[in-house]
Each structure stands twice: as structure tokens, then as C-alpha cells.
Amino acid sequence: MARPSKYESHVKPKLNLVESWARDGLIDEQIAHNLGINVSTLYDYKNKYPEFTEALKNGKDDIDVMVENALLKRALGYTYDEVTLESGVETKRVTKEVQPDTTAQIFWLKNRRPQAWRDKQDLDVSGDLNFKVSLPKGFGDDGDD
């Protein structure tokens, strides 16, 4: 007789935590560990329980969007106000500028537009390659006629 599934008792009550862990950047193996299940069991639950898959997806989607936004902001550059407070009162405000970051731009382009920006370009070349080699008279003769 098979053991009863831990899903109803150990996982379903923690779907909010699962989403939170995914949002915090934990990978599937770490989430499985936190739930006290094997990673293969986690994959089974993803296939069997749509609400579990949705919790993982929602958590990962949220953080992915935040990182994408931060990367884009860094790639394009931005300004921000630096505020100095003394005794809870603003005494100074300075607008600072962060220059666009070429590394972030390259990363963005290589991942978002790989056909145009990846390091390795795939080229299709077709046609025939014909060549003729002409050797000078006497070249390659060993003198044994």
C-alpha cells in the first residue's frame, strides 16, 4: 500500500510561503527542502496540482519582472534625489545621475535580441567551391624520368 501524499498536509497549507520563497529567489531544490520533500516530489506536485504550479509561477514572475526593470533602468541610466536629514528634517537635497551601464546594455541585448547581438553568428553559406592549382613546370619532379 502506497504512503499517503504529503501534499495536503505539508504543502497545500504553505502555498503562500511557496510563492514567497519563489519571489525571494529560492530555486526548486531549496523550496523542496523547505517543504521537507524530495525535489522529484516537488516536480510531481507541479504536474499534479495546478494551484502549486501557480504559486511557484506567481512568485517567480514577480521577482523576474523586478529584476528586468532594475536591469533596464541600469542599462538606460537614471537620476535620483539624495536627501540629507537632520533630526528628521530635510536639510539638503541633491539630484544625482547614474550613467547608462554598457555591460547591462550588452546583457540586455544579447538576451532580448540574440539573433542580432550574440557573440557567435550563424551564417548559411551555399554554393560550389571550385579551384584549380597550377604548378610550375618541373615543380615536384624528383628527377627520375
Side-chain angles (χ1 to χ4, degrees):
M1 187 164 140
R3 278 191 342 212
S5 170
K6 287 185 175 183
Y7 181 79
E8 293 296 328
S9 61
H10 288 75
V11 177
K12 191 173 182 179
K14 297 179 180 176
L15 288 179
N16 286 337
L17 268 176
V18 168
E19 185 172 334
S20 173
W21 291 332
R23 187 173 31 259
D24 289 344
L26 271 65
I27 60 173
D28 288 348
E29 289 79 4
Q30 293 168 314
I31 293 171
H33 173 78
N34 287 356
L35 291 170
I37 61 174
N38 192 296
V39 71
S40 63
T41 304
L42 181 134
Y43 296 138
D44 290 342
Y45 290 169
K46 284 169 71 171
N47 291 327
K48 190 172 180 181
Y49 301 103
E51 69 271 17
F52 182 66
T53 303
E54 192 67 22
L56 286 169
K57 182 182 176 306
N58 287 343
K60 290 178 181 181
D61 286 350
D62 288 349
I63 197 68
D64 288 348
V65 168
M66 291 172 62
V67 170
E68 285 175 4
N69 289 339
L71 177 63
L72 180 59
K73 184 177 178 180
R74 186 74 178 124
L76 298 175
Y78 58 96
T79 59
Y80 66 97
D81 287 339
E82 185 176 270
V83 178
T84 303
L85 301 174
E86 291 182 17
S87 302
V89 176
E90 181 179 327
T91 59
K92 183 173 154 183
R93 177 178 296 260
V94 178
T95 300
K96 296 203 171 186
E97 182 176 355
V98 175
Q99 292 295 313
D101 183 332
T102 54
T103 302
Q105 293 168 350
I106 291 166
F107 185 82
W108 181 273
L109 290 169
K110 282 184 177 184
N111 284 283
R112 298 284 299 223
R113 304 188 82 200
Q115 294 79 12
W117 288 94
R118 69 177 163 223
D119 290 330
K120 177 184 171 191
Q121 297 292 324
D122 293 328
L123 301 175
D124 287 331
V125 178
S126 61
D128 294 328
L129 180 62
N130 296 315
F131 60 91
K132 182 178 179 182
V133 176
S134 297
L135 299 175
K137 193 162 187 84
F139 185 81
D141 290 343
D142 57 6
D144 295 335
D145 288 329

